[in-house]
Amino acid sequence: MQFWKLERDSSDNIVLSLDLGPEAKQNLLKARVLEELDEFLANSRPNSLIITSAKPESFCAGADIEEIRGSLNNPVLVKQIREKAVGILLKIRHAPYPVVAAISGTCLGGGLELALACHARIAAKHPRTLFGLPETSIGIIPGFGGTQTLPRVIGLTRALEIIVGQKKLNAETAEKCGLVDTVVEPDRLLATARTFADCLRLGLTERYRTAKKNRIESIPYFGRKLILSGAIKRVLKETKGVYPAPLRAIEAIGASCKNLETGLSVEGKLFAECAASPEARNLMSIFAVRNEARSKNWVNADPQKPPGCLGVVGAGKNGMGMGKGIAYAAISAGIPTLLHDISPDCIHDAVALIESALKAGVAKKRITPAEAAARRALLTVSWGNRYERFRTTDFIVEAITENLEWKRALLSELEKHISPSAIIATNTSSLLPSEVAASLQHKDRFGAMHFFNPAEKMELVEIAGTPDTHPNTLARTLALTKALGKTPVVLDKECAGLVVNRILLRGIAKAFLKMLTVGIDPWKVDDWLERYGMMMGPFKTTDLVGFDTADHVIKSMGRYYPDSYPKLVLDMELMQNKAVLGKKTGKGFYFWDGERVGEPNYRIFQEINFKVRADSRNLKTNDPWFVEAVAQIVLNEMRNEGSWLIAEGVLKSKDMIDLAIILGAGICPNRRGIFGSDFDLART
Ligand code: NAD
């Protein structure tokens, strides 16, 4: 066997270890891996079987998406692949000898379905041990029996959380809910699996099982109906029904109360439906682009190491803010970080927020108290206008207020104190990076590194050099981005606003123009666009960003791209009423309750003088066809801006523009962004 290593003891107990070789970071259930397993099962009759991995960080990360993608156009092949895999897993399930999964590292998708087919599951206490069935994120449902076997092991409610909510469990949580039978130190994994196999044969597993006893929930018919309809309602609220997979997954999970054979056939039918959908094709395609962005060496320079010590200037004022979000991401990635702000109050708030985020991580069992303490110890802070402490930092992210003069003044002061090899990167949203760099002596060690809000969560980082940036500077920026676990998109050429903001803001400007000129209802435009696949309509986005920030950025971008920002929009005063600035004040175009968006705020036209008729909601122009036409114009504007980015040589790859706009602004992942294969306005 090429991918499975077989060890047999004198009593014919077999350990099968999966290993896709040193080149592969993760083990995957490729077709050939399954075939080899099938051949083994057909030709062996061991005393017991332990299925494990030779990679401590990856039991199995799931099916090979490239292989699935290759078969999507052929429904017969999709059916064959699935039935073959299900058949193999059923052979394990019905094996007349004990089969135990010994799991260390990622156990996701098909990997978890393989583990669920085994008679017991033992997990290693390893930071990388993680269980999940994330198939709905790529437009399909678990298809190797997971929708039937998971609810049988951990119950309906938790199975919904994992399959539909894409929740991932660490070893400890998996043990608590009965997904694994016991959790042990890594060096005890195989020995415990062997003991379990012996006990399974003797019917004595309860003595060793530390997890809650497995049980199939005995929820009455109406209770099940209620849980399932609640799940459907939540999905429809969150996704406006744009994605078929989560809804099909709920339907498949619903069938898990039937016998296994019937349930599996329901799963098969629904799996085939999802696999044939344009959403699956688009989501898998963008998944492949994302993998490319994360693995390729974007720059013409040798790969570099991430910084030994990171500096961040400007902690940020609202919520987690940009600077403190970046600092939090850095300490979470194990990078010592110095966070500085001119204002002691901002630093005080930043430390309090970072500490409470670490505490929340401990409370949610994402990290241990010791890990939280170790991360906190990596953070140092300073405030005021002295920068001597930056001598020890070898990479500094500038995240101060979006003001060109302030940024220039800071950079020239900072440059006096930092080491001659240190890099400075600006996080500017709307200024031209080389204009920001004008005050620097050493422009070769400067570039743009644009994070998205909230920086600790959003995975995209746009990177751009100026004409003076040295390739090594970009390589070091790329190394930091990867060390933070983020996905980089490196521009071919700088521009103000970089890629995502240029595209997004042009769409927002057009939406505002239509509201001001024809009185189109903002909420209807948002609703239409969200039902089309945008995570958030342009007016809701403005609420989230804050009217003051939006006003500032639109005016700043208008300076660089006057043709894209009509005078009416540039003259618009979004900050007339300080009590109506969007989410941060609890109301804007919508009412907000903390992070949660509420009802439309129909009084916005009186609260802020938008110079449109107050009765605009009653205008004929709000006919559905007109709303749709306006929403399509907004999308077309974005697509035009994307075409300009290519024509100007800012980013020549359409795929990478789509990836950036999906990860940075949530624009139509279901349609693969703005240039996606399914972006066909005539169809809608
Ligand atoms: P903010 O106004 O909330 O925070 C700016 C911080 O910089 C404040 O804490 C302020 O005290 C500090 N500051 C100002 N001048 C300083 C100086 N000379 N030295 C040290 N600290 C100084 O701004 P923000 O929203 O956190 O944005 C910061 C930067 O990140 C801006 O360039 C912005 O364009 C960019 N950005 C913002 C977002 C966003 O959504 N907020 C997203 C991406 C990028």
Side-chain angles (χ1 to χ4, degrees), residues 44 65 126 232 360 379 395 454 485-486 573 662:
S44 318
I65 293 179
H126 188 288
I232 293 172
L379 180 72
F395 196 114
K486 308 272 183 200
E573 283 182 34
I662 288 172

Side-chain angles (χ1 to χ4, degrees), residues 316-317 341-342 387 399-402 407 427 429 450-451 453:
K317 287 181 181 143
D341 199 286
I342 200 157
Y387 295 93
I400 70 163
T401 316
E402 188 76 341
K407 283 187 192 280
N427 184 37
S429 295
H450 186 230
F451 292 82
N453 198 1

Side-chain angles (χ1 to χ4, degrees), residues 23 253 309 336 408 423 528:
E23 298 290 295
I253 295 167
C309 182
R408 282 182 176 167
I423 306 278
W528 192 95

Side-chain angles (χ1 to χ4, degrees), residues 1 16 34-46 49 51 87-93 95 97 99:
M1 288 193 285
L16 270 187
L34 281 167
E35 275 162 27
E36 286 183 7
L37 183 59
D38 198 24
E39 281 162 29
F40 166 83
L41 293 168
N43 300 316
S44 318
R45 174 68 175 83
L49 174 63
I51 297 181
I88 297 168
L89 299 194
L90 280 176
K91 280 184 202 165
I92 294 175
R93 191 178 179 91
Y97 46 85
V99 187

Side-chain angles (χ1 to χ4, degrees), residues 4 27 31 44 55 71 105 144 191 272 305 344 358 362 378 388 406 415 422 439 474 496 506 516 574 605 619 665:
W4 294 95
N27 281 330
S44 318
K55 291 183 191 294
S71 65
F144 297 172
K305 284 201 187 119
L358 289 170
V362 173
L378 291 174
E388 285 83 359
W406 293 11
E415 197 177 32
S439 60
L474 292 179
R506 177 138 169 210
L516 298 173
L574 273 168
F605 294 101
L619 289 180

Side-chain angles (χ1 to χ4, degrees), residues 313-318 321-324 326 340-343 346-347 384-385 387 398-403 406-407 409-410 426-431 450-454 501 545 549 552-553:
V313 190
K317 287 181 181 143
N318 302 306
M322 288 314 290
K324 43 190 173 300
I326 297 166
H340 178 94
D341 199 286
I342 200 157
S343 137
C346 287
I347 285 296
N385 50 14
Y387 295 93
E398 170 279 301
I400 70 163
T401 316
E402 188 76 341
N403 177 307
W406 293 11
K407 283 187 192 280
L410 167 75
T426 179
N427 184 37
T428 179
S429 295
S430 62
L431 300 166
H450 186 230
F451 292 82
F452 289 78
N453 198 1
N501 278 350
V545 168
T549 307
H552 188 75
V553 175

